[in-house]
Amino acid sequence: MNKIMIVDDMPIFLEYLRGCIDWNAYGFEICCEAHDGREALQKMEEYLPDVVLTDITMPYLNGLELSEKIIKDYPDTAVVLITGNNEFEYARKAVKIGVCDYIVKPFEKEELILSLLKLQDNIGKAVENSLRDDYVLTDELKALIYAGISDSEHSNEIEEKIFGWGSGAGYLLGLVKFDGDINNNSSREELMNWERLIAKMLEDKLDIDGEVKIFNDFENNIIILMRFNRASDISNFKGYEFTDIIDVVKNQLGFDITIVLSRADELKGVKKAYERALGTVMVKGHGKLIDLREESEPPVFTSLDAIFRLNKDIENLLSDDVENVINTMWQHIREAHPKEDGHTITDMNIISSALSVLMTNIINSGFSIEKIYGDGFSPEHFFSGSIGSDEMKDKVIYLFKKRIEFEKDKKKSKSRDVALSAKEYIEQNYINSELSVADISEVLCVNQTYLRKMFKSEMNMTLSEYITQVRMQEAKRLITATDEKLSLIAEKVGYSDVSYFSNVFKKYYGNSPRSMSKE
């Protein structure tokens, strides 16, 4: 967990910060509180928080003065200022000192969460520490939107399994699509982690008279299925929760997200509602809420059956069937929409959907996109210059087959093999003060999210905790067995700042390095 110290001279605001967020759900814990800057400094050495969340106007030592001292003496601790003062001069001073972020009251709690998760590697740590791997009933929910329901008896059975006993008065489906940069492995993986966090925020934020289920489709869009107890509530639902999320994500992360709402009067209509939402998000603008509740005709879109089958073919390593599915899908689209030479929106929709399925599968499988397709691979660059629809289709087939061949040729490593390899790499490279999870994942040819999960599962500790453990054990050995200076020992175990090393050592062992030194 990332440790947070909150500092404010107003008890009511400390209480608000403590209770307004489910901190553990996002990988954080409040390790201590302070009522002024002087008390905060006294607690820094004892608790060594990862983040200090502080007000500006406080007695004895104000927030700017506190921030300056923390940044100087504890360089690995991030500082976020929260204040009711929106004057430019305060913001200018905060930036000059090196404060990570500056949040003005009043603020949405989602704004604060995203601000904290942006710091250093907090998004990766949050996924590593706390977020569950998947939502319950994911297979049933995916089958609902891709395969649909055949009859009323089947509908009742599925509804009871997903929502429990009873029936609702209607459904509202929300589709959330991120319009972020996904041209390389790291940005795609980071985007998927943000999507998981946003899904969690929506789960916490949505409050309706009914039930809410949240999951991801095969393109990793967030799907929110809401069952309302009263039909009138479906029409009266304003969607403010969604517009708030759109604004906060844009302001904090710089991402545009589009959210489409589509209505289904009964469960067997959910598949059609999903088709309408997915088709709409492909052809209408970005960064806004699109409401289809009063619209009847869906935009044309590719076959959901084909998307479902493509995902299964990748999982089962069926190259030939992948080619057949893509050829058939392309033929059906071309017959339905004959055109002259050139590329249409329909071509782009097919490519976008197929690539989203492919790239999401690669990341979820723990592989590196660049290891499969080469350094600097970019889908946009790969498809640029394609002449005609057939060449684009052949390139899509090539990418799918290349991914399947990669897994067939690769000697599969079990989770313990990955964890042991990471452990060995850390033990050989802990002296490097810049050692990071990104370095380890690159050497092992797995993505960071997969590496974090496998290591924690096998070693019962996070990668960061193990790096600290190795460094502290070697530091203790050097301190007790040699006469070397503390600054040299700190350098030998991967710390460039001897003061920070001493603080970490005391936190780990309960005693200062000098108290353990060889007599």
Side-chain angles (χ1 to χ4, degrees):
M1 291 285 181
N2 291 287
K3 297 181 295 181
I4 296 179
M5 174 196 288
I6 53 177
V7 189
D8 200 293
D9 61 336
M10 299 288 289
I12 191 170
F13 191 67
L14 286 174
E15 183 179 354
Y16 169 75
L17 283 178
R18 195 185 312 121
C20 73
I21 295 170
D22 182 0
W23 293 101
N24 289 348
Y26 296 97
F28 295 102
E29 62 177 351
I30 296 177
C31 65
C32 61
E33 300 174 6
H35 297 85
D36 56 66
R38 188 169 61 185
E39 182 185 357
L41 276 183
Q42 292 170 350
K43 291 187 174 182
M44 279 298 300
E45 185 172 341
E46 179 182 358
Y47 291 97
L48 285 178
D50 299 294
V51 181
V52 173
L53 202 57
T54 179
D55 189 20
I56 288 184
T57 306
M58 298 182 296
Y60 306 119
L61 198 68
N62 68 40
L64 290 172
E65 294 167 334
L66 171 64
S67 300
E68 191 168 12
K69 289 181 177 295
I70 290 174
I71 291 166
K72 178 183 177 182
D73 297 336
Y74 302 89
D76 284 355
T77 297
V79 180
V80 175
L81 288 174
I82 296 182
T83 179
N85 197 320
N86 196 22
E87 290 185 9
F88 173 76
E89 185 61 22
Y90 278 104
R92 187 187 68 81
K93 288 180 180 178
V95 171
K96 185 177 180 180
I97 290 170
V99 167
C100 294
D101 208 347
Y102 183 96
I103 298 177
V104 179
K105 304 173 186 175
F107 55 84
E108 295 283 347
K109 67 178 183 179
E110 291 80 15
E111 182 181 359
L112 176 57
I113 293 169
L114 292 180
S115 175
L116 294 173
L117 289 172
K118 284 190 303 181
L119 302 175
Q120 302 169 9
D121 191 28
N122 284 350
I123 177 64
K125 291 178 183 177
V127 172
E128 176 183 37
N129 278 314
S130 61
L131 291 181
R132 58 181 182 259
D133 288 338
D134 218 340
Y135 295 97
V136 295
L137 298 172
T138 295
D139 290 342
E140 288 82 357
L141 288 163
K142 283 183 178 177
L144 178 64
I145 62 173
Y146 283 104
I149 294 175
S150 56
D151 53 52
S152 297
E153 183 177 348
H154 185 214
S155 176
N156 294 335
E157 179 184 330
I158 294 298
E159 182 155 22
E160 183 175 343
K161 189 169 187 179
I162 293 175
F163 292 104
W165 184 256
S167 60
Y171 303 85
L172 193 58
L173 180 140
L175 185 148
V176 183
K177 182 177 180 61
F178 274 61
D179 305 311
D181 175 21
I182 57 171
N183 285 338
N184 59 64
N185 184 69
S186 59
S187 62
R188 177 78 193 195
E189 183 183 352
E190 182 181 359
L191 185 63
M192 288 174 66
N193 284 338
W194 282 120
E195 287 168 344
R196 296 178 71 186
L197 268 298
I198 299 304
K200 170 61 181 169
M201 288 182 186
L202 285 169
E203 186 177 35
D204 293 341
K205 197 174 182 67
L206 285 167
D207 183 17
I208 66 169
D209 184 10
E211 292 79 33
V212 178
K213 300 296 179 184
I214 300 182
F215 60 105
N216 293 95
D217 65 11
F218 286 129
E219 299 178 46
N220 216 53
N221 298 312
I222 301 169
I223 308 299
I224 303 103
L225 183 59
M226 296 171 277
R227 185 178 78 166
F228 289 83
N229 293 332
R230 293 187 298 270
S232 59
D233 288 349
I234 303 176
S235 300
N236 294 332
F237 180 75
K238 301 300 183 183
Y240 295 137
E241 299 91 340
F242 295 120
T243 53
D244 286 346
I245 286 290
I246 290 171
D247 292 340
V248 168
V249 170
K250 178 65 175 178
N251 293 335
Q252 283 293 326
L253 304 181
F255 291 155
D256 281 326
I257 61 174
T258 303
I259 303 179
V260 183
L261 296 179
S262 183
R263 179 172 182 164
D265 292 328
E266 52 187 347
L267 196 63
K268 66 181 182 181
V270 168
K271 180 175 183 287
K272 180 64 70 175
Y274 172 70
E275 289 176 344
R276 295 173 64 222
L278 192 57
T280 298
V281 82
M282 289 293 185
V283 297
K284 292 196 175 180
H286 300 301
K288 60 184 179 181
L289 177 65
I290 302 171
D291 193 344
L292 302 181
R293 277 176 285 185
E294 303 304 322
E295 297 184 21
S296 56
E297 291 301 319
V300 175
F301 189 66
T302 60
S303 168
L304 296 185
D305 292 336
I307 297 297
F308 186 82
R309 189 168 156 189
L310 277 176
N311 191 75
K312 292 298 182 184
D313 285 344
I314 299 174
E315 292 178 354
N316 296 319
L317 306 181
L318 301 176
S319 294
D320 291 341
D321 196 58
V322 160
E323 185 170 359
N324 290 335
V325 171
I326 294 174
N327 279 326
T328 301
M329 180 171 65
W330 225 274
Q331 181 180 348
H332 286 169
I333 294 297
R334 295 276 64 80
E335 289 174 353
H337 303 278
K339 64 176 183 64
E340 302 296 331
D341 290 340
H343 305 147
T344 67
I345 290 177
T346 303
D347 291 328
M348 298 301 106
N349 287 353
I350 297 172
I351 291 173
S352 177
S353 297
L355 286 182
S356 292
V357 170
L358 178 62
M359 298 303 166
T360 298
N361 177 275
I362 290 172
I363 297 296
N364 286 337
S365 299
F367 297 135
S368 163
I369 292 172
E370 292 194 342
K371 292 297 179 183
I372 297 176
Y373 301 118
D375 292 340
F377 172 79
S378 160
E380 183 180 23
H381 178 73
F382 182 75
F383 282 97
S384 66
S386 299
I387 302 174
S389 178
D390 287 341
E391 184 177 347
M392 296 173 75
K393 176 199 68 177
D394 291 341
K395 286 187 174 183
V396 172
I397 292 172
Y398 166 80
L399 292 177
F400 272 82
K401 285 190 166 185
K402 185 77 172 174
R403 181 263 180 267
I404 291 173
E405 289 167 6
F406 177 84
E407 184 165 351
K408 283 182 176 179
D409 294 340
K410 181 179 174 61
K411 182 179 179 181
K412 289 189 176 180
S413 296
K414 294 182 179 179
S415 61
R416 185 152 188 86
D417 295 331
V418 173
L420 289 175
S421 296
K423 180 174 178 287
E424 181 180 358
Y425 186 82
I426 291 168
E427 290 166 355
Q428 294 173 352
N429 294 276
Y430 66 86
I431 190 173
N432 178 10
S433 62
E434 301 297 323
L435 178 64
S436 68
V437 176
D439 297 332
I440 304 170
S441 70
E442 183 175 355
V443 170
L444 300 185
C445 300
V446 296
N447 66 55
Q448 294 181 45
T449 304
Y450 179 81
L451 173 60
R452 290 177 187 277
K453 288 180 182 177
M454 293 305 99
F455 193 89
K456 187 173 183 182
S457 173
E458 294 295 335
M459 301 300 174
N460 202 30
M461 66 174 67
T462 67
L463 282 159
S464 299
E465 289 169 345
Y466 187 68
I467 292 172
T468 300
Q469 175 180 292
V470 171
R471 286 172 168 168
M472 290 299 100
Q473 289 175 347
E474 177 61 9
K476 182 178 180 181
R477 186 190 71 79
L478 292 172
I479 288 170
T480 57
T482 72
D483 295 318
E484 292 180 347
K485 291 183 177 179
L486 202 58
S487 58
L488 181 59
I489 291 175
E491 186 177 338
K492 283 187 173 183
V493 296
Y495 292 93
S496 56
D497 187 306
V498 66
S499 176
Y500 180 69
F501 161 73
S502 297
N503 289 327
V504 175
F505 189 94
K506 184 176 181 180
K507 178 64 177 176
Y508 190 85
Y509 285 113
N511 295 304
S512 68
R514 297 193 186 282
S515 68
M516 282 193 181
S517 61
K518 181 181 178 183
E519 296 182 356

